[in-house]
Amino acid sequence: MITYRPERPKDGPLIEHVLDVSFGPGRFAKTAYRLREGVGPIDALGYVVEEDGAPRGTIRYWPVLIGGTPSIMLGPVAVLPAHRGRGMAIQLMKLSLAKAAELGHRSVILVGDEPYYARVGFTRVPAGRMTMPGPVDYTRLLWRELAPGGLDELKGPITRAG
Ligand SMILES: CC(C)(COP(=O)(O)OP(=O)(O)OC[C@H]1O[C@@H](n2cnc3c(N)ncnc32)[C@H](O)[C@@H]1OP(=O)(O)O)[C@@H](O)C(=O)NCCC(=O)NCCS
């Protein structure tokens, strides 16, 4: 049986394992990690998918500031290699994005493949609208509103929250 559930405090090692296996070494070098340094994930938006009690995938979000306006950054999202293509990541995103909207978050950004994340409503951030704190392929910088007008206020450097 496949179960989607909120992340629990003791899930840390399980999530690190899924991320290590999914991304391989070097994941901490990504520019997105500069926005996570010294900042905790948003507890209420972490989810884990399990099958018969065994972990299959995870999703987390971090708070960020965009030109000083609070937003959230989706990721990392990962599903163990043997279980990809079963819709688990899409479902993790749908659940957590709905929760984020419910909690009052107004927008969400991420760095990833547009054709994939378009499935859950992401589009490309217009060129020049935002800057990341390190090297990034700006055609992969995506956003999605969670409340009407939530993107209108976003412009400027993306910086660490907290
Ligand atoms: C990306 C990832 C989370 C997707 O997990 P998943 O559970 O296999 O995804 P889903 O089953 O929900 O969706 C799979 C579908 O998306 C497609 N897809 C997957 N990655 C894609 C991409 N980069 N671009 C376009 N389509 C993609 C698959 O072909 C599949 O299509 P189908 O439904 O027509 O068969 C998983 O492959 C993974 O963990 N990768 C390594 C970590 C990573 O890169 N994470 C994302 C960056 S934070």
Side-chain angles (χ1 to χ4, degrees):
M1 190 180 63
I2 297 176
T3 314
Y4 296 85
R5 62 161 179 85
E7 181 184 332
R8 302 177 190 130
K10 65 172 188 208
D11 286 333
L14 173 163
I15 291 169
E16 290 304 310
H17 169 75
V18 171
L19 297 179
D20 285 345
V21 173
S22 298
F23 286 96
R27 67 186 162 101
F28 295 104
K30 291 184 173 186
T31 293
Y33 274 86
R34 294 196 195 173
L35 295 166
R36 299 182 183 127
E37 270 164 23
V39 183
I42 302 170
D43 289 334
L45 297 182
Y47 281 83
V48 172
V49 52
E50 292 174 329
E51 188 168 17
D52 301 327
R56 296 294 187 238
T58 69
I59 191 166
R60 276 177 164 172
Y61 291 75
W62 257 260
V64 293
L65 295 171
I66 302 174
T69 299
S71 183
I72 61 176
M73 182 171 63
L74 186 159
V77 54
V79 169
L80 292 173
H83 300 281
R84 290 181 188 162
R86 301 174 65 195
M88 290 180 178
I90 293 287
Q91 190 59 22
L92 282 170
M93 289 193 279
K94 284 184 174 164
L95 279 171
S96 53
L97 288 165
K99 179 77 172 184
E102 191 186 307
L103 292 176
H105 296 287
R106 295 177 49 76
S107 61
V108 51
I109 62 163
L110 65 79
V111 179
D113 293 339
E114 185 187 11
Y116 182 59
Y117 294 100
R119 294 182 183 208
V120 285
F122 283 86
T123 57
R124 223 180 258 192
V125 174
R129 179 96 178 217
M130 298 174 188
T131 52
M132 285 282 279
V136 67
D137 174 356
Y138 279 97
T139 66
R140 292 168 53 79
L141 181 61
L142 312 179
W143 65 2
R144 193 198 124 154
E145 74 174 26
L146 295 172
L151 304 183
D152 300 348
E153 55 219 46
L154 300 185
K155 191 173 172 47
I158 306 172
T159 55
R160 258 185 306 171

